[in-house]
Amino acid sequence: MAVVLLAAVVGIFVLETGDNGDDSADPTVDAAVDNESNVVELSVTEMGGAEEFVLRSDVDSTEELRLDELQETGDTMTLEPESGTEVRAKIVAIDGNDEQLVRSVEWEFDLEQDSEPINPAMSVDVNNNDERITFTVTSMGDAAAFVLRGDVPNDEFELDELEATGDMMTVDGDELTDNGTGAIVAIDGDIESQILSIDWNFD
């Protein structure tokens, strides 16, 4: 009877070891890079003993992305980078405090980078004695045109000679009011921004 019981215990042990056998296998993840669609498809072919996976930069090991959709064998996850062009990284399996390199992955996408807007700038020389104002564009920025609004005929005066950085335009006093204040406004389509306020006294 003791032999039969021992055999039964051994049989259960072998059966349980068979069910958990994948835990001892190395975790593996497939990565398919689509440079035309700018996506990376990840799929778990073997979870092994991993609790989770992360994507870690080869350049800066502090930069990593938790692949939280990869929880078990068969799971898939799509990465759609919004910035960066050339990326070299590695997929790392995490099991408690243990880490295991699963694979390296790299891609080179042609992504347009969102550039920071460039603010237009201008310098102004008000010469009250000669009754003239000189405008100089120090930075065109994203502006398409400039206008002077305020105490001017029709409330707006087009600075139509200012089309690029470095352009200069002189406005004589007879084109403006004798005394006044105004604001220089940069225009880019439907977007307007005031960049400078000025005042003059030609009396």
Side-chain angles (χ1 to χ4, degrees), residues 70-148:
L70 305 182
Q71 297 292 326
E72 59 185 27
T73 299
D75 282 354
T76 62
M77 182 175 181
T78 301
L79 303 179
E80 299 182 66
E82 297 179 353
S83 62
T85 55
E86 185 176 354
V87 174
R88 298 191 308 277
K90 53 194 173 189
I91 298 174
V92 178
I94 308 292
D95 180 14
N97 294 323
D98 296 330
E99 296 187 355
Q100 180 179 349
L101 174 63
V102 176
R103 63 170 299 143
S104 295
V105 59
E106 60 183 65
W107 62 83
E108 187 172 355
F109 293 159
D110 186 14
L111 299 174
E112 293 185 3
Q113 302 295 310
D114 294 331
S115 58
E116 293 292 329
I118 303 174
N119 295 325
M122 184 179 300
S123 65
V124 180
D125 178 25
V126 178
N127 191 324
N128 288 313
N129 292 329
D130 293 338
E131 298 185 356
R132 66 180 58 178
I133 303 175
T134 301
F135 304 86
T136 304
V137 180
T138 55
S139 174
M140 195 70 188
D142 294 329
F146 297 98
V147 296
L148 175 64

Side-chain angles (χ1 to χ4, degrees), residues 2-15:
V3 174
V4 175
L5 180 60
L6 180 60
V9 173
V10 171
I12 293 173
F13 175 76
V14 171
L15 181 60

Side-chain angles (χ1 to χ4, degrees), residues 35-64:
N35 288 306
E36 292 186 2
S37 300
N38 294 339
V39 298
V40 181
E41 299 282 354
L42 303 177
S43 60
V44 181
T45 54
E46 177 58 64
M47 195 70 188
E51 295 178 354
E52 63 175 342
F53 297 97
V54 297
L55 182 69
R56 187 173 296 160
S57 169
D58 274 347
V59 179
D60 183 354
S61 60
T62 63
E63 293 184 6
E64 67 177 32

Side-chain angles (χ1 to χ4, degrees), residues 174-194:
D174 55 8
E175 299 182 75
L176 306 172
T177 57
D178 289 339
N179 301 285
T181 60
I184 301 170
V185 178
I187 301 175
D188 179 19
D190 295 331
I191 301 175
E192 298 185 355
S193 59
Q194 179 178 325

